[in-house]
Amino acid sequence: MARRFDSIQRQWSESAQQVSVRRFAFVLALAALFAGALAAGRHWWSVDLWDVVFVRHPFLWVSVLFGALTGAAEVLARYRDEPFAAIFSPPGVWYMLLNGVISGAAYGVLDRYGDNVFPGVKDGLMRSVLAGFGAMVVMRSKLFNFKTESGEEYAVGPDAVLSTFLVSVDRKIDRYRSLRRQQIVCQRAALIPHPEAAAPFLSTSLASYQNLSAAEKSDLNAAIKDIVGNSALDDRLKLIAIGFGLLNVCGEKNFSDVMELLRQHQSPGDPPQG
């Protein structure tokens, strides 16, 4: 039953990610058409946008893609367990769309006014690079900081808007991922026959990671010791708490495999659970 449930969960997760990828491709196309309208000029409604986007301005797509990748990099840095699942979650897709639209709009501005802004830049690829990555530099700028009577400082400028949006996206992605993480950890922890003896095995498993720094291993081991020493939690809850920290390093599949190895270690005669 547990194996069947895990299979259904995995299929659902893969299906959801496929839908998000298709959705991202669709909204990326809309972003490029929007930027193409800007590049077409004032009377964009009388212009064949397909011709503008794909024929006259093929590098417009490149700038939109660069902008989307910049947004994806920001999301990647925040979610370590399954970064690509976070990127292609609905809020992650919308954040990449926002970045793509901004970069596409910047390309349209460079195409129309580039001779005045960057007279030496005539190449379409160079303009797409400037628009794709330079737009976010502008959007991350602060005109000045406003300090309140209580001493709090607030940035005034494009960065304030983008940061507010990013905080909202962060919260939505976190909520989106939290249910999946809780299901994986709780289901795997429920299969361990002796949770009180799990901590030494999980601490030892950290040695299998070659690129995990000594500081990260030390922090994880210290966190495991603190959890084990917490008398307010029973043994099963301690294992669950350790599992959440380990999941950040392992990722979903590897975490499930490690927990299965732990189960087999404690019950060597039992058949694999899948």
Side-chain angles (χ1 to χ4, degrees):
M1 180 64 72
R3 183 185 303 177
R4 177 62 178 167
F5 185 79
D6 285 347
S7 176
I8 294 173
Q9 284 288 97
R10 192 178 301 110
Q11 292 175 3
W12 180 88
S13 178
E14 291 174 356
S15 175
Q17 289 184 23
Q18 290 173 0
V19 171
S20 295
V21 170
R22 290 196 295 268
R23 185 182 301 167
F24 174 63
F26 174 72
V27 296
L28 197 64
L30 289 181
L33 289 175
F34 171 82
L38 183 62
R42 188 173 301 172
H43 303 291
W44 61 269
W45 56 86
S46 62
V47 178
D48 184 358
L49 290 182
W50 185 270
D51 177 70
V52 170
V53 173
F54 291 98
V55 180
R56 295 191 306 183
H57 299 284
F59 288 107
L60 176 60
W61 277 98
V62 180
S63 65
V64 172
L65 180 61
F66 284 159
L69 289 176
T70 303
E74 291 189 77
V75 177
L76 273 174
R78 289 171 165 77
Y79 297 91
R80 296 178 295 169
D81 60 340
E82 294 293 337
F84 289 101
I87 287 175
F88 289 110
S89 65
V93 168
W94 282 110
Y95 187 68
M96 286 191 290
L97 169 64
L98 173 65
N99 284 264
V101 168
I102 292 172
S103 296
Y107 181 91
V109 171
L110 283 177
D111 184 75
R112 285 189 59 80
Y113 306 107
D115 293 338
N116 298 325
V117 180
F118 297 105
V121 179
K122 302 291 185 181
D123 182 66
L125 178 60
M126 183 56 66
R127 285 184 175 178
S128 67
V129 172
L130 286 174
F133 297 108
M136 296 314 299
V137 174
V138 175
M139 290 301 296
R140 284 298 185 184
S141 62
K142 302 176 183 178
L143 300 179
F144 59 89
N145 290 328
F146 175 75
K147 193 170 185 178
T148 64
E149 294 181 355
S150 60
E152 297 180 350
E153 288 190 356
Y154 295 93
V156 178
D159 179 69
V161 177
L162 196 63
S163 295
T164 300
F165 191 85
L166 181 58
V167 168
S168 177
V169 168
D170 262 339
R171 289 178 179 173
K172 288 186 176 295
I173 293 177
D174 206 18
R175 294 166 186 164
Y176 180 86
R177 292 286 304 143
S178 65
L179 178 60
R180 172 69 178 164
R181 287 166 55 86
Q182 291 171 26
Q183 290 172 339
I184 291 174
V185 172
C186 292
Q187 289 166 11
R188 288 298 173 178
L191 299 175
I192 305 303
H194 304 290
E196 71 282 356
F201 181 93
L202 296 178
S203 294
T204 304
S205 71
L206 295 176
S208 65
Y209 293 94
Q210 301 179 65
N211 294 323
L212 198 64
S213 68
E216 289 176 309
K217 291 180 181 179
S218 177
D219 290 342
L220 282 170
N221 282 318
I224 291 174
K225 289 180 181 179
D226 289 342
I227 293 170
V228 171
N230 189 346
S231 58
L233 302 176
D234 61 39
D235 293 328
R236 189 74 59 182
L237 289 179
K238 289 178 181 180
L239 177 57
I240 290 174
I242 294 172
F244 285 127
L246 199 63
L247 182 59
N248 293 337
V249 176
C250 296
E252 292 180 4
K253 185 181 184 305
N254 187 248
F255 173 78
S256 297
D257 292 341
V258 169
M259 294 295 283
E260 173 60 18
L261 290 174
L262 171 60
R263 191 195 66 79
Q264 293 179 18
H265 173 73
Q266 294 187 352
S267 302
D270 291 346
Q273 296 291 325

